[in-house]
Amino acid sequence: MTSAATVAAVPGRGHWVRGVVQDVAPPGVDDLAPGYLDPALLPVELLADAAVRALATYGPAALSYGENQGALRLRALLAERAADEPSPAGPEHVMLTAGTSQALHLIATTLARPGDVVLLDEASYDLAQRLFTDCGLLLRRLASDEGGTSVTALDEAARAVRAEGRRVAFLYATPTFHNPTGRTFSRTRREELLSVAARHGVLVVEDDAYAELLLDPGEPVPSMAGIAGHQGVLRLRTFAKTLAPGLRLGWLSGEPGLVGRLAAHGLVQSGGALNHTMSMVVTRLLEDGDYDRHLPVLRAGLRERRTALLKGLASPGACGWTATPSRGGFFLWLECAPGLPEEELLAKAFASRMRIAPGSRFGHAGPTAVRLSYAFNPPGLLERAGRRLAAHLHDPARHQEGRGSC
């Protein structure tokens, strides 16, 4: 008897099961679009061992309904991890969530109402935009520059929304390894945005999914939540990018009264903590030090993959693009030389059996741009794919000599 699921054997990845995992690319297609980890980077044995230890430690308590805001021990551990922030948090500031998407939905339906306006960058995480519009919220795009969201644009948009008789639900910001551009906002820019938001009474939702994935030397920039003392900011974190997306486990932090309001939602009250059993597994990983031993290995793997993709893109003779420097996260943002239509680039990529994420998918309305993920594939494939894509970007008859980076 044949299973309804088909198994796609992917070199270096073991079995990648179509019908079980999300959006499996057809065999032979190099997929540089997904924002998730290469199966080779997923810590299967680490999580299996932690699950055994969690059940041995907590027994039936790990399988029951969890405390509404999340297990106290895990909330305390997560708060401790932010102890170096300008304004440290305690467990009362933390609520466990079923990942960032669930947190965004909870915020969009608890702290906003249909017809409210979300302020966000002109190029922003596409699935967050979809979630907001599905909740009946309106999107108002803000101009940005190399430093991130424009402070002037935020101020003008907040005034304009009020003048229209509407309410701003919140500012949605991804200031660290921004999705899709990879930019990191400076501390000064974060402080300026927080000042404008506070003046207008606008809540800031800080999507910090990639905070622990700094790949280059240097100190991380403090979070907007830490700078603001957790006042007027909800910071969203997740284990989807550092452990595995299938865990569906994350957390949010903010002012305790606001966090308590979210924890009082009927969704939480009806079944307690979201994804309680998996939260107890991750508690063991944190307590035993396994998580912190895993992170350097993951960062090294991502760094190797980023280097391979950049090497392929910069193959001899390649030009016609400029990459936004990214110190971490999953993505490269390429802006193409003038004159190359997005439709033409996508058609070339499709013809060569390659998936890429076009800039228009994220709301980008400027020159042709694409987001490339270096997280999902092994280094050799990324280098080869980079060379092929560079060949598509380079057209001597179309591009002026010297435009873009080579």
Side-chain angles (χ1 to χ4, degrees), residues 96-114:
L96 300 183
T97 68
T100 297
S101 296
Q102 187 276 327
L104 288 172
H105 186 268
L106 186 63
I107 292 167
T109 53
T110 304
L111 305 181
R113 56 184 180 269

Side-chain angles (χ1 to χ4, degrees), residues 8 13 57 60 91 105 127 135 202 216 235 357 359 361 370:
R13 299 187 190 180
T57 302
H105 186 268
L127 296 179
C135 290
V202 172
D216 294 337
R235 186 186 187 196
R361 168 175 147 183
V370 296

Side-chain angles (χ1 to χ4, degrees), residues 96-104 237-240 248-251 275:
L96 300 183
T97 68
T100 297
S101 296
Q102 187 276 327
L104 288 172
R237 306 285 299 280
T238 181
F239 289 107
R248 303 305 290 166
L249 183 67
W251 71 104
N275 208 350

Side-chain angles (χ1 to χ4, degrees), residues 24-43:
V24 178
V29 173
D30 294 339
D31 198 349
L32 274 63
Y36 36 80
L37 288 169
D38 182 345
L41 295 176
L42 298 177

Side-chain angles (χ1 to χ4, degrees), residues 104-180:
L104 288 172
H105 186 268
L106 186 63
I107 292 167
T109 53
T110 304
L111 305 181
R113 56 184 180 269
D116 286 352
V117 176
V118 177
L119 305 178
L120 73 174
D121 287 334
E122 54 191 350
S124 290
Y125 176 39
D126 57 322
L127 296 179
Q129 297 181 57
R130 166 70 183 275
L131 189 152
F132 299 148
T133 56
D134 282 353
C135 290
L137 305 182
L138 307 177
L139 306 181
R140 184 69 58 91
R141 302 187 187 281
L142 307 177
S144 60
D145 55 31
E146 293 80 4
T149 309
S150 164
V151 177
T152 300
L154 173 61
D155 184 47
E156 291 176 348
R159 294 177 188 277
V161 170
R162 181 176 296 116
E164 295 166 7
R166 295 189 179 276
R167 175 178 174 269
V168 175
F170 47 83
L171 167 67
Y172 174 70
T174 54
T176 303
F177 313 137
H178 179 274
N179 184 2

Side-chain angles (χ1 to χ4, degrees), residues 13-16 38-52 243-244 247 281 285 294:
R13 299 187 190 180
H15 289 143
W16 203 234
D38 182 345
L41 295 176
L42 298 177
V44 177
E45 294 182 2
L46 187 72
L47 286 163
D49 291 344
V52 172
L243 283 174
L247 301 184
V281 174
L285 286 176
H294 161 73

Side-chain angles (χ1 to χ4, degrees), residues 61-85:
L63 302 177
S64 183
Y65 293 120
E67 199 277 335
N68 288 353
Q69 199 165 317
L72 179 60
R73 179 57 179 153
L74 181 53
R75 288 191 285 122
L77 288 168
L78 294 173
E80 289 172 10
R81 296 187 71 80
D84 58 348
E85 287 280 319

Side-chain angles (χ1 to χ4, degrees), residues 353-364:
R353 300 187 65 77
M354 181 186 302
R355 278 187 181 179
I356 56 178
S360 60
R361 168 175 147 183
F362 307 95
H364 177 71

